[in-house]
Amino acid sequence: MSAEILHFFRVIDAPNRIRELRKLAGLSQQAVADAICVSKVTVSQLELGKMQLTHEYMRRIAPALGVTPADLLPRSDNPDGLTAEERDLIARLREADDTQRTQLRQLVDVVIPHPSNQDGTRKVA
């Protein structure tokens, strides 16, 4: 009988965010594997960085986790990644009509003045 040594890594050491996002979505490796038509072993190897996370895998995994492909990258590789709250705000902005967008811009300029203008106003091209 041989003993296996289990290797655990900290989230910040992870080669990607698949495991983190999978757990946030409440999905098992098998559920993700079924959704993207691969084996559970493949999902495990992708999470651990034992298999290369190609663009094709990113395109397949992201929808299964309800994220964008770029969200699968480590935060250090994707500093402009959006949070769920930011995505929600953008989605709501996109649904707004012209009047609502103007009101939102005015509100934002008052609440969070743009640093490029000392008087708190910003000229939008």
Side-chain angles (χ1 to χ4, degrees), residues 15 35 38 42 61 108 125:
V38 298
T42 297
I61 294 170
V108 169

Side-chain angles (χ1 to χ4, degrees), residues 18-115:
I18 297 172
R19 176 173 284 168
E20 172 192 351
L21 296 168
R22 175 179 59 77
K23 289 184 179 245
L24 283 172
L27 298 172
S28 66
Q29 287 181 337
Q30 188 63 57
V32 173
D34 292 345
I36 66 169
C37 301
V38 298
S39 71
K40 178 182 170 186
V41 172
T42 297
V43 173
S44 176
Q45 289 178 342
L46 287 165
E47 286 183 356
L48 296 171
K50 293 181 179 181
M51 276 184 68
Q52 183 179 8
L53 182 59
T54 63
H55 286 101
E56 179 59 29
Y57 277 127
M58 291 173 75
R59 286 186 191 109
R60 292 167 63 186
I61 294 170
L65 299 178
V67 300
T68 66
D71 292 329
L72 300 174
L73 299 172
R75 292 188 194 279
S76 59
D77 290 339
N78 188 17
D80 295 328
L82 300 175
T83 66
E85 181 182 26
E86 291 165 333
R87 267 193 214 89
D88 177 58
L89 288 170
I90 291 169
R92 292 165 64 189
L93 175 63
R94 288 178 176 163
E95 294 172 2
D97 62 32
D98 289 340
T99 302
Q100 292 169 321
R101 284 178 179 230
T102 299
Q103 292 171 339
L104 285 169
R105 276 190 216 98
Q106 291 170 345
L107 177 63
V108 169
D109 283 339
V110 170
V111 176
I112 311 169
H114 196 276

Side-chain angles (χ1 to χ4, degrees), residues 13 80 96 122:
D13 295 335
D80 295 328
R122 184 175 91 203

